[in-house]
Amino acid sequence: MTLTAAIVLAAGEGTRMRSSKPKVLHEFAGKTFLNRVMDAVGALDPETLAVVVRYQAQRVAEAARSYDDAVLIVEQDEIPGTGRAVQCAMEQLGERGPLSGTVLITASDMPLLDTSALKQLLDYHRDSGDGATVLTTVLDDPTGYGRIIRDADGNVLKIVEQKDGNSSELAVREVNTSVYVFDAAVLEQAIANLNADNAQGEFYLTDALTVARQVSKVGAFAAPDPLSVEGVNDRVQLASLAKAHNLRVCRQWMLDGVTIVDPQTTWIEDEVEIESDAVILPGCFLQGHTTIAHDAVVGPYTTLIDATVELGAHVERSRVQESRIGREANIGPWTYLRPGNEIGTGSKAGAFVEMKKAHIGDGTKVPHLSYVGDADLGENTNIGGGTITANYDGVHKNHTHIGSDVHIGAGNLFVAPVNVGDGVTSGAGSVIRHDVPDGAMVYSENTQHVVDNWKPAWER
């Protein structure tokens, strides 16, 4: 059905999060709550997507615009409550002309809200002919949620908030998810005369359903997946929901042919892609747009952020960000790949190696205890332990080029900018400040001095 407007309520502070950051900007599986809800709603293609802001309004509005530059930002005034938020939104939407059709309203603290459930809700609303439909779910523990109170015929009578319910009402396990569909005309009537005569002194949107029932039928549609409509009020709920979601994600990847040795300690964000027969060992965090190819092995205890791991590569006990790891390359343990690295086929970045904007040729080895930054290394080159490219002169990041079939001795220091040709051999402990031609041997002298019977000053 055509969706005239979708209103996302993002005005609350979320005091139970105990945070200086608005609740809607906390992250879940790599995206903020607000981003995830806007994505779910936006996929319905509403004529207008509106986000209502109040607490840290500018910060939330900037985030919303970064997710969808066509979003309509509605600023709620100082009158509190979800009902007031919708009043403000409808007033601003009405400035564009008379509003008709269907209006979807959703909270922004439901990070697993999905487009499929919303489509089913809209279809149910259309087919039922109701003037208003509330999305509900049944919980084993409904504490904190508004209860759905039905009449003897099973029709929705009202929604009672936790603080306003009596013992029989609070025993109800069917709860309000804070997602609603209204016919625009019914909604305008329903919110016209809201008041704050309740325990929290707020304009409740739930009270609008009581008014809507006087002018039209109010229906309820049960969400097919309770997890998809679970809200987050504090960090305990956030951790619990994130864990439940992550276990589902791991389970699906295992059903798709990926080996995950320990799903309890493996965290995979939604946009990660993994091919079958990849192996994920315990303690891994796979984040952002990471892709892992067939037969690759990741872990144990590895973090990949926007990384590409190609066929047969192995990344162990390392952190890799915005880098590509080539076929059958070997990374780790304790390797740190900062953004911008290209690691070639069959190459190696070994123990306690750090790289940044390094291009490592096929078959080249940087085995251990080295830093390679702003550098190109050719093919089949070996870098001795403890080698450093000194790329920063205090103002600029300078470049180092080391050719193919080069053998670099232990403890070398390359003072960039410098170019080392193919087939070069360097002596241990060399400081290389000037270009070296192909096929040369390079070393720098360092006179050794011995002071017999020496004692430190404090001992003398």
Side-chain angles (χ1 to χ4, degrees), residues 234-254:
D234 56 39
R235 297 179 197 253
V236 175
Q237 290 178 334
L238 174 58
S240 176
L241 185 60
K243 185 69 172 180
H245 171 65
N246 186 69
L247 288 174
R248 285 188 176 187
V249 170
C250 288
R251 181 178 185 275
Q252 187 58 56
W253 280 120
M254 289 186 286

Side-chain angles (χ1 to χ4, degrees), residues 316-328:
E316 176 190 359
R317 296 178 188 268
S318 298
R319 179 181 175 90
V320 179
Q321 184 172 1
E322 298 175 30
S323 296
R324 183 186 67 83
I325 298 168
R327 295 164 63 98
E328 300 180 356

Side-chain angles (χ1 to χ4, degrees), residues 106-127:
T106 179
S108 55
D109 60 355
M110 303 160 61
L112 289 180
L113 185 66
D114 64 346
T115 304
S116 175
L118 293 176
K119 283 182 178 177
Q120 292 178 62
L121 171 64
L122 289 170
D123 290 343
Y124 178 88
H125 177 79
R126 177 198 60 206
D127 296 340

Side-chain angles (χ1 to χ4, degrees), residues 88 106 118 127 168 209 216 248 252-253 256 287 302 306 308 326 383 386 410 419 426-427:
C88 294
T106 179
L118 293 176
D127 296 340
S168 62
L209 293 177
S216 180
R248 285 188 176 187
Q252 187 58 56
W253 280 120
D256 290 342
Q287 301 175 317
T302 292
D306 297 320
T308 299
I383 304 297
N419 182 67
S426 75

